[in-house]
Amino acid sequence: MYEKEIEQLQEIIDESSRIVFFGGAGVSTESGIPDFRSADGIYHQKYKYSPEQVVSHSFFVRYPEAFYEFYKEKMMALDARPNPAHIKLAELEKAGKLTAVVTQNIDGLHQAAGSRNVYELHGSIHRNYCMRCGKFYDAEYVKGYDGVPRCECGGMIKPDVVLYEEGLDQDTIQGAVRAISQADTLIIGGTSLVVYPAAGFIDYFNGKHLVVINKSETARAVRAELTIAAPIGEVMKKLRI
């Protein structure tokens, strides 16, 4: 299944030297992390507050207890491990084929697999800072803290993730845009391309090959040269480097 498409993807990778991968939640679902928008994703589950409300800046400030209850349970998957997609992308980077991963995910699995040049558009659960003194805390400290995590100075700790109503980090934006604009091949995987401004970054691609690997149809018509409607891990693990 998908043999013809995977062989076509193999040919594209073989002739490319500046590949950029742009990924979303679908990259991590094969690691057991639920996405947000599929039929069984977080947005379709029932909570007292909608997930959109909970992961907003104003909700975090007003109701930190409820925010952290949801955040720790649903967004901090510390037991998750990289799947074949993460591993293959790291191998492509090590082989000098892939120049950057641009991800909307906050789980840190690309780095866990060995990828080094990763632009995390929406931050990371693995970076947490005291809002009073700026001291750093890791994910284990936050997840294991009973209630709202506090710094030793007494300040509240905030995860370095981009909540609704917050802007993206400018240095991350510039790095991601630069990588995409200089790529000869852009592979879009595991994203429905509905979250902006992140989804608009692909407009900076001017290279030769545009590939989409996603189980469902993307919200944007990106005129891809190759589209593979399959789980990205299944596709990536069949590639040769």
Side-chain angles (χ1 to χ4, degrees), residues 37-49:
R37 291 179 172 78
S38 67
D40 55 353
I42 289 175
Y43 282 172
H44 292 272
Q45 299 174 25
K46 300 299 180 200
Y47 298 101
K48 182 179 177 182
Y49 302 98

Side-chain angles (χ1 to χ4, degrees), residues 8 42 62 75 107 122 126 132 151 165 177 181 184 195 228:
Q8 189 178 344
I42 289 175
R62 289 187 66 187
M75 300 179 76
D107 50 48
H122 297 150
H126 297 285
R132 181 184 295 172
C151 176
E165 305 163 353
V177 167
S181 65
D184 56 10
V195 177
I228 306 177

Side-chain angles (χ1 to χ4, degrees), residues 44-83:
H44 292 272
Q45 299 174 25
K46 300 299 180 200
Y47 298 101
K48 182 179 177 182
Y49 302 98
S50 72
E52 291 98 332
Q53 282 180 287
V54 177
V55 292
S56 67
H57 178 82
S58 54
F59 190 94
F60 169 77
V61 171
R62 289 187 66 187
Y63 308 108
E65 295 87 358
F67 169 87
Y68 268 112
E69 184 180 352
F70 177 91
Y71 178 77
K72 290 180 191 180
E73 180 187 351
K74 294 298 179 183
M75 300 179 76
M76 298 191 78
L78 301 189
D79 293 332
R81 294 292 174 262
N83 64 54

Side-chain angles (χ1 to χ4, degrees), residues 128-137 151 153 156:
N128 305 274
Y129 300 95
C130 172
M131 296 173 69
R132 181 184 295 172
C133 74
K135 183 176 178 180
F136 170 87
Y137 288 89
C151 176
C153 79
M156 186 166 72

